[in-house]
């Protein structure tokens, strides 16, 4: 068997990488050759501390997911440990770099990080989701050894309502720049489209850290995908010593290709800083030209076309990888979402890695970019299981007053050049009644508002919500006026008695569909949408039946770690897609509601037997694509489709007459006696004989062999592999009921990072080399060592199953 090779590693040390989020200078990715110590050290930042015996790690790294789960930890963060740890790395800064500035840029460290260089403390950042940078220059030994040390303090392991991870879990970059350079996140743009022309308004923020005034030229060039120069602008600016001036410029683009959901066209903006025609600095920014509009009566429109937001909420973990998630994993996940008709992501409830936004730009997904889950007071964090026992109150509120405005500003500045980002969210459910804010309205009956007890005078007053929101909105507007500010409200009734909703441009309601009509009438200028919603059909109909509701965001797109039930629950399982990246039946049900192309899916389950399914009126949206039952057993076959009609065949014979789509349930179904073979459901347009969509499922035999294939990569420079593993019968059919334990050996210059089944038992080890299948499937994560030339062999085996061996040749472009 020969499979097209997925990855050829090309290590580029100095690059203008889009993953750096429109940075400056020359960037060097420094994820290799770090040393890690779990536990605190009194002098862990000292320059001459010997760390050679520490564990060698490669970033991104999350130590919590490597830990032993236990009920002694907190259910909110997935029963996984926190703690304190140190990271250290040797940096060799060349002698010829002297005279330049040297910076260190962290995309994300969870949390309470402190950074040292050569024994000197240079800064602290409490927020674990915010990217940040420090100037190392005053402490660098040019031409010599330098020691970078990072202390990470996550001893408050129950500080979040979901899994956070611990450590340097995103990329780290070393940056070289001249004394006069473009500032971090210093290039930003806004677009205006009028007729057949677009106007690109560019702002460049510069920094002169020299001791002399300097006259510079800033040149802007805009290129299309073919590298053709479409327009330029040039301006002069005098930078005073120590100054940080801003320069505004404009470029007109004729007949622009608009960034859209189905055509996410990206231009390249080149910004060049010159002094006496000599290059000082330059950076490239990807540009998406598009218009967005939010209307209280018509909802959301992109480039003049109205769209319903078919969105999902998304946390930042990926099962056995924890929070250290490679770009390739996000790419696979986002492509799966697109295949289900999803067009929007809510970054619940924190900024994501830069690569997520890059991918959304490339794939055509809209982003509601969220900053905070709590403000000045902590929310409840469940310790013994979701909504079980006595909660804890650790959390990010501890540093909100001191850091929130800076954190929010940095999020906006980092992400404002992504055309995918259409809203800034300043909070999620910060108005949940009595958690912590309260208001006298909670004592009134019939308000239709979820809350714990009534008004609690001892709790913070709800009026603070409007005061804080006003301050945060002002921060956003200081750095970006092209997008609205929003938030997800959990207590709309209570918040309506404050200035909180009116401080927002767009108002999201969490699980409050019953308030849409009333609040639209009461507040006719309020732009409304569902910011967090259940999967029910009625919740979607609340969107489609009202022009003024611009969309919904399901909870959730993916299963995730944390917010667990009682031990040994691993996490929350309401996703359309499981932790192994497998689309669930409910994902296919959602596809039938959201897709604009003809789709159809067949799922089955037995009826009768005295359980819930004995109710013949019950129609499941979680029916598996399974056709293995007892002969003659009555089986309900449900079809999730957007076709007008559907027909069912078994072994080529019609066993389910053609039925029309049911608007009440969105499900077509038949009850038939089981017979082994092939089941096929076909969808048709009304009164048409042409099949618009079809889906087949077959009875499987006993487990016979292991099959596997690599997920196609979108990046030839990656060394990260995803191997989809299946148990099949002799005919090659997936054995859906198989739960065989599979052992994976990786031989050669590569590492197995984990075997993910999508299971929800946290006591299982998902990071060793053996795991039981779930629904006949597993997903292996493998990292090839950089610069390795030897072959890598992957062996998959299980008792009584035909094994499989794959070879990745070190110097060729195929996998055998």
């Amino acid at each position: 068997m020969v499979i097209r090779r997925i990855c050829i590693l090309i290590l580029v040390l100095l690059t203008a990488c889009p993953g750096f989020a429109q940075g400056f200078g020359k960037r060097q990715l420094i994820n290799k050759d770090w040393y890690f110590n779990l536990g605190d050290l009194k002098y862990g930042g000292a320059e001459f501390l010997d760390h050679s015996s520490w564990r060698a790690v490669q970033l991104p790294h999350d130590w919590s997911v490597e830990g032993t789960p236990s009920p002694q930890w907190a259910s909110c963060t997935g029963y996984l440990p926190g703690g304190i740890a140190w990271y250290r790395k040797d940096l060799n800064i060349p002698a010829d770099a002297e005279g330049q500035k040297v910076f260190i840029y962290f995309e994300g460290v969870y949390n309470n990080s402190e950074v040292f260089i050569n024994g000197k403390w240079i800064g602290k950042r409490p927020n674990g989701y915010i990217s940040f940078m420090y100037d190392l220059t005053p402490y660098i030994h040019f031409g010599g050894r330098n020691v970078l040390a990072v202390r990470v303090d996550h001893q408050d392991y129950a500080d979040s309502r979901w899994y956070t991870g611990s450590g340097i879990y995103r990329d780290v970059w070393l940056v070289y720049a001249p004394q006069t350079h473009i500032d971090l996140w210093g290039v930003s743009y806004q677009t205006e489209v009028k007729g057949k022309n677009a106007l690109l308004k560019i702002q460049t923020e510069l920094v002169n850290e020299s001791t002399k005034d300097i006259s510079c030229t800033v040149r802007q060039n805009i290129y299309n995908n073919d590298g053709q120069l479409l327009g330029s602008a040039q301006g002069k600016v005098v930078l005073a010593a120590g100054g940080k001036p801003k320069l505004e410029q404009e470029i007109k683009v004729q007949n622009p290709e608009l960034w859209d959901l189905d055509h996410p066209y990206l231009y390249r903006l080149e910004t060049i800083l010159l002094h006496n025609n000599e290059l000082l600095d330059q950076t490239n920014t990807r540009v998406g030209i598009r218009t967005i509009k939010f209307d209280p009566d018509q909802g959301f429109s992109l480039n003049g076309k109205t769209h319903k937001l078919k969105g999902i909420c998304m946390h930042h973990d990926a099962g056995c990888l924890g929070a250290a998630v490679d770009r390739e994993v996000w790419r696979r996940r986002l492509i799966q979402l697109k295949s289900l008709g999803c067009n929007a992501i809510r970054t619940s409830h924190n900024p994501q890695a830069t690569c997520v936004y890059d991918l959304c730009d490339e794939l055509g997904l809209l982003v509601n970019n969220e900053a905070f889950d709590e403000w000045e007071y902590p929310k409840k964090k469940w310790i013994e299981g979701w909504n079980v026992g006595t909660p804890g109150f650790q959390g990010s509120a501890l540093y909100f007053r001191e850091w929130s405005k800076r954190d929010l500003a940095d999020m906006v500045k980092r992400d404002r050049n992504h055309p995918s980002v259409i809203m800034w969210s300043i909070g999620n459910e910060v108005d949940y009644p009595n958690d912590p804010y309260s208001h006298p309205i909670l004592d009134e009956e019939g308000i239709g508002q979820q809350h714990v007890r009534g008004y609690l005078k001892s709790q913070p007053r709800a009026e603070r919500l409007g005061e804080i929101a006003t301050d945060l909105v002002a921060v956003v507007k200081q750095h970006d006026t092209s997008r609205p500010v929003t938030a997800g409200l959990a207590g709309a009734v209570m918040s309506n008695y404050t200035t909180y909703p009116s401080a927002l441009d767009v108002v999201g309601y969490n699980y409050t569909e019953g308030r849409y009509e009333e609040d639209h009438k009461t507040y006719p200028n309020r732009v409304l949408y569902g910011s967090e919603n259940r999967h029910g059909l009625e919740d979607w109909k609340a969107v489609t039946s009202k022009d003024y509701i611009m969309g919904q965001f399901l909870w959730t797109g993916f299963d995730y770690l944390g917010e667990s039930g009682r031990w040994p629950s691993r996490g929350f399982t309401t996703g359309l897609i499981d932790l192994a990246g497998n689309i669930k039946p409910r994902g296919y049900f959602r596809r039938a509601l959201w897709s604009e192309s003809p789709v159809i899916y067949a799922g089955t389950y037995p009826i009768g037997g005295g359980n819930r399914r004995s109710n013949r009126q019950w129609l499941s949206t979680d029916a598996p694509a399974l056709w293995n039952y007892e002969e003659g057993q009555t089986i309900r076959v449900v079809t999730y489709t957007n076709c007008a009609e559907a027909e069912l065949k078994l072994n080529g014979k019609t066993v389910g007459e053609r039925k029309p789509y049911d608007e009440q349930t969105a499900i077509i179904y038949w009850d038939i006696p089981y017979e082994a073979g092939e089941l096929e459901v076909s969808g048709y347009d009304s009164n048409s004989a042409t099949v618009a969509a079809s889906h087949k499922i077959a009875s499987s035999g006993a487990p016979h062999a292991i099959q596997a294939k690599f997920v196609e990569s979108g990046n030839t420079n990656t060394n990260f592999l995803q191997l989809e593993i299946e148990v099949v019968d002799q005919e090659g059919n997936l054995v859906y009921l198989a739960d065989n334990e599979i052992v994976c050996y990786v031989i050669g210059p590569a590492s197995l990072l984990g075997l993910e089944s999508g299971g929800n038992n946290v006591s299982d080890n998902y990071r060793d080399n053996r795991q039981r299948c779930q629904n006949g499937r597993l997903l292996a994560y493998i990292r090839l060592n950089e610069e390795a030339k030897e072959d890598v062999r992957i062996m998959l085996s299980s008792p009584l199953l035909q094994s499989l061996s794959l070879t990745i040749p070190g110097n060729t472009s195929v996998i055998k």
Side-chain angles (χ1 to χ4, degrees):
M1 177 174 60
V2 179
I3 307 171
R4 185 171 65 84
R5 185 168 183 179
I6 303 302
C7 66
I8 304 170
L9 177 68
I10 302 173
L11 179 63
V12 181
L13 289 181
L14 295 178
T15 176
C17 177
F20 191 71
Q22 295 83 40
F24 66 101
K26 295 181 178 180
R27 276 93 62 193
Q28 177 183 349
L29 185 64
I30 57 168
N31 285 348
K32 290 175 57 180
D33 302 326
W34 287 77
Y35 292 86
F36 174 73
N37 180 79
L38 182 58
D40 202 6
L41 296 170
K42 186 175 183 180
Y43 301 114
E47 180 176 5
F48 298 107
L49 176 70
D50 182 8
H51 55 249
S52 61
S53 63
W54 290 16
R55 176 188 165 197
V57 297
Q58 179 175 328
L59 304 183
H61 177 245
D62 173 6
W63 84 69
S64 285
V65 79
E66 299 175 343
T68 302
S70 169
Q72 80 180 84
W73 310 122
S75 60
C76 56
T77 46
Y79 296 109
L80 288 165
I84 298 175
W86 284 85
Y87 294 84
R88 289 171 64 91
K89 178 178 174 59
D90 293 337
L91 295 177
N92 293 312
I93 308 299
D96 59 9
E98 190 164 7
Q100 296 186 64
K101 302 290 293 184
V102 182
F103 301 92
I104 189 77
Y105 180 87
F106 294 89
E107 289 199 16
V109 184
Y110 202 93
N111 63 344
N112 294 302
S113 63
E114 296 180 76
V115 179
F116 301 76
I117 184 68
N118 296 329
K120 310 297 192 301
W121 184 91
I122 58 173
K124 178 175 182 176
R125 196 63 180 249
N127 192 316
Y129 299 111
I130 296 296
S131 301
F132 57 95
M133 187 177 75
Y134 296 120
D135 183 0
L136 305 182
T137 313
Y139 316 107
I140 290 293
H141 304 316
F142 290 94
R145 176 178 181 260
N146 297 271
V147 179
L148 181 68
V150 183
R151 182 180 186 267
V152 185
D153 181 355
H154 190 206
Q155 59 185 319
D156 286 351
Y157 57 86
D159 62 341
S160 171
R161 297 189 301 122
W162 60 90
Y163 179 78
T164 62
S166 301
I168 308 176
Y169 70 101
R170 294 181 186 163
D171 291 338
V172 181
W173 303 81
L174 195 65
V175 184
Y176 296 90
Q179 296 288 331
T180 303
H181 55 264
I182 301 165
D183 202 1
L184 174 65
W185 310 316
V187 178
S188 61
Y189 72 90
Q190 295 185 14
T191 60
E192 291 182 2
V193 179
K194 294 182 179 179
K196 296 183 178 181
N197 294 314
L199 186 64
L200 188 63
K201 297 182 176 181
I202 308 158
Q203 184 180 86
T204 307
E205 301 175 42
L206 305 169
V207 179
N208 180 12
E209 298 191 57
S210 72
T211 58
K212 298 180 180 180
D213 296 353
I214 184 170
S215 178
C216 291
T217 299
V218 177
R219 183 179 300 155
Q220 309 284 359
N221 298 318
I222 188 77
Y223 298 89
N224 65 13
N225 275 345
D226 297 324
Q228 179 184 2
L229 178 64
L230 302 181
S232 298
Q234 185 165 301
K236 293 187 180 293
V237 61
V238 176
L239 288 80
K244 299 184 69 173
K246 297 179 182 179
L247 180 66
E248 296 183 352
Q249 296 166 284
E250 295 182 352
I251 300 177
K252 183 181 290 186
V253 180
Q254 296 180 342
N255 300 312
E257 297 261 13
L258 299 185
W259 186 93
D260 213 328
L261 299 176
D262 299 322
H263 183 65
Y265 193 91
L266 294 168
Y267 293 88
R268 179 171 66 90
L269 174 67
E270 179 185 53
T271 303
I272 301 172
L273 180 64
L274 301 163
H275 172 62
N276 292 335
N277 288 324
E278 292 187 3
L279 178 66
L280 291 179
D281 199 4
Q282 71 179 90
T283 188
N284 290 294
T285 304
R286 296 199 300 187
V287 170
I289 298 175
R290 51 99 174 115
T291 63
I292 55 175
K293 182 180 178 181
F294 299 80
D295 185 270
D297 296 316
Q298 299 300 318
F300 170 75
S301 62
L302 175 65
N303 300 325
K305 180 182 177 181
T306 299
H307 291 271
K308 292 292 188 182
L309 298 182
K310 303 169 182 176
I312 59 94
C313 300
M314 187 174 81
H315 279 315
H316 73 299
D317 75 90
C320 65
L321 297 177
V325 185
D326 191 87
R327 175 191 169 98
E328 290 299 307
V329 178
W330 285 123
R331 181 178 183 272
R332 175 176 181 250
R333 286 180 155 211
L334 295 176
I335 288 174
Q336 287 173 317
L337 287 176
K338 284 277 286 189
S339 76
L340 300 181
C342 175
N343 63 16
I345 306 296
R346 178 184 178 218
T347 65
S348 49
H349 304 290
N350 49 263
Q352 297 270 0
T354 295
C355 67
V356 173
Y357 305 92
D358 287 339
L359 286 164
C360 289
D361 291 343
E362 295 167 13
L363 297 173
L365 285 164
L366 305 170
V367 178
N368 179 0
N369 204 12
E370 194 154 77
F372 306 116
D373 186 56
E374 61 188 28
W375 287 351
E376 60 184 354
Y377 297 107
K379 293 180 180 178
K380 297 173 183 175
K381 315 295 189 308
W382 299 104
I383 309 301
E384 304 169 50
W386 187 56
N387 286 345
V388 174
T390 302
F393 289 94
Q394 296 176 354
S396 58
L398 187 66
Y399 48 81
F400 180 84
R401 290 184 178 89
E402 180 181 357
W403 286 92
S404 60
K405 292 182 180 179
R406 180 176 176 183
D407 289 343
L408 181 60
D410 285 352
M411 180 189 85
V412 173
K413 287 190 289 184
R414 189 195 72 167
D415 298 337
R416 62 190 169 184
N417 288 334
H418 292 284
S420 57
V421 175
I422 60 168
M423 290 187 283
W424 305 111
S425 176
I426 58 173
N428 169 65
E429 295 184 348
V430 293
D431 63 334
Y432 197 97
N434 293 329
D435 189 18
Y437 297 97
S438 196
H439 191 279
I441 188 63
L442 299 180
D443 278 338
E444 295 190 17
E445 296 183 5
I447 63 170
Q449 175 65 64
Q450 181 180 8
H451 61 89
V452 180
R453 292 171 288 178
Y455 173 49
L456 299 178
K457 293 183 179 180
S458 60
Q459 297 290 103
R461 60 186 184 88
E463 287 79 5
R464 277 291 292 153
L465 295 164
E467 297 165 5
I468 297 172
T470 299
D471 289 344
L472 295 180
V473 169
V475 172
V476 174
K477 300 297 186 184
Q478 181 181 351
H479 301 286
D480 181 41
T481 58
S482 67
R483 300 169 177 88
V485 180
T486 187
L489 274 59
V493 172
M494 183 180 76
S495 289
N496 283 340
Y497 283 80
T498 74
T499 59
Y500 182 24
S502 62
L504 305 171
D505 302 308
V506 176
V507 184
Y509 281 12
N510 288 12
Y511 310 107
T512 320
E513 288 83 359
R515 297 288 306 188
Y516 287 169
E517 188 170 351
E518 179 179 348
D519 282 9
H520 178 60
K521 291 178 180 178
T522 306
Y523 310 99
N525 293 321
R526 181 177 294 180
V527 181
L528 286 170
Y529 70 103
S531 41
E532 193 168 310
N533 306 88
R534 300 177 184 88
H535 292 248
L537 177 60
E538 293 304 313
D539 301 304
W540 177 237
K541 287 182 177 181
V543 176
T544 59
S545 64
K546 299 173 178 63
D547 291 342
Y548 58 86
I549 299 299
M550 67 182 192
Q552 68 171 190
F553 288 86
L554 295 179
W555 192 262
T556 56
F558 304 95
D559 292 350
Y560 59 94
L561 301 182
E563 209 160 8
S564 308
R566 291 184 184 272
W567 172 267
S569 170
R570 191 181 181 199
F572 222 71
T573 59
T574 60
L576 300 175
I577 300 170
D578 69 19
L579 286 171
N582 299 311
I583 298 173
K584 299 181 184 180
R586 64 175 52 195
Y588 291 109
F589 178 76
R590 187 57 45 174
R591 181 183 67 166
L593 297 178
W594 282 357
S595 180
E596 296 180 5
S597 300
V599 296
I600 199 164
Y601 168 91
T604 68
Y605 51 90
I607 59 174
N611 56 25
R612 181 183 179 188
R613 290 174 176 171
S614 65
N615 180 356
R616 290 183 175 269
Q617 302 303 313
W618 181 64
L619 295 175
S620 175
T621 58
D622 291 307
L626 170 68
W627 195 237
N628 284 81
Y629 297 98
E630 299 284 339
E631 287 290 331
Q633 186 178 9
T634 300
I635 305 299
R636 175 158 290 173
V637 181
V638 294
T639 296
Y640 311 146
T641 184
N642 55 7
C643 296
E645 298 174 347
E647 179 184 40
L648 182 67
K649 292 183 178 181
L650 176 59
N651 296 324
K653 298 179 181 180
T654 298
V655 292
E657 74 280 6
R658 196 157 158 171
K659 286 185 176 182
Y661 182 84
D662 188 341
E663 294 285 352
Q664 298 302 311
T665 64
I667 294 175
I668 301 172
Y669 75 96
W670 304 266
D671 295 337
I672 64 172
Y674 175 74
E675 175 187 325
E678 184 179 76
L679 196 67
E680 181 178 14
V681 61
S682 300
Y684 303 85
D685 293 332
S686 296
N687 302 315
S688 173
T690 302
V691 175
S694 64
H695 180 219
K696 297 179 181 179
I697 52 177
S699 304
S700 62
H704 173 71
I706 300 171
Q707 287 186 354
K709 64 177 181 179
F710 288 97
V711 175
E712 184 176 352
S713 172
N715 178 11
T716 56
N717 294 342
T718 186
N719 67 332
F720 191 94
L721 303 181
Q722 300 171 86
L723 184 63
E724 296 175 334
I725 303 167
E726 292 185 348
V727 174
V728 298
D729 64 12
Q730 283 188 314
E731 303 300 320
N733 298 313
L734 171 72
V735 183
Y736 187 86
L737 297 175
D739 65 349
N740 304 66
E741 182 180 77
I742 292 179
V743 179
C744 177
Y745 290 102
V746 176
I747 303 168
S751 302
L752 176 67
L753 302 182
L755 288 173
E756 182 56 69
S757 68
N760 197 40
N761 187 336
V762 73
S763 63
D764 285 350
N765 188 346
Y766 299 89
R767 293 183 64 87
D768 64 5
N769 73 329
R770 60 184 62 233
Q771 184 57 246
R772 285 195 174 277
C773 295
Q774 180 167 280
N775 302 331
R777 295 185 174 98
L778 275 180
L779 180 65
Y781 294 116
I782 299 165
R783 180 192 289 141
L784 302 179
N785 294 355
E786 296 180 354
E787 301 172 326
K789 297 182 180 180
E790 297 85 1
D791 291 357
V792 173
R793 190 179 180 192
I794 301 169
M795 300 177 63
L796 300 168
S797 63
S798 183
L800 305 180
L801 295 185
Q802 181 178 307
S803 61
L804 179 67
S805 177
L806 300 172
T807 299
I808 307 174
N811 290 307
T812 65
S813 58
V814 296
I815 296 174
K816 297 182 178 179

